Amino acid sequence: QVQLVESGGGSAQAGGSLTLSCTVSRVGVLPPCRELMSWFRQAPGKERDFVSVINDGTPTYSDSVKGRFTISQDNAKNMLYLQMNSLIPEDTAIYYCKMTRLCGLRTNNFWGQGTQVTVSS
């Protein structure tokens, strides 16, 4: 029903920048539901953690990335972005795009396959 494909990952030096993109594809006929787009990340040996969410244009960030990362979306292009500045080695992780569809009392979550970000000191 929903396909998410991340891109833009790679390697960067500490202090550098990367921009991640998430392409959103809706397959078939979907009921009208509220959709929330977010980014998560998973470092080696750790659980998947929340990074940022955008809700009706209002962003929320985890404390670890606040002031350094910026989430944005272009609904016309079905794209979600994560601009990452002032990167630190602790940002090294696989980054995942997530869509949460809120359909009345039902919630459906969709995930992308992830894109690797590696930050070296």
Side-chain angles (χ1 to χ4, degrees), residues 21-38:
S21 300
C22 175
T23 302
V24 180
S25 300
R26 295 172 180 81
V27 181
V29 178
L30 297 175
C33 301
R34 183 179 178 193
E35 297 177 346
L36 296 178
M37 298 299 301
S38 55

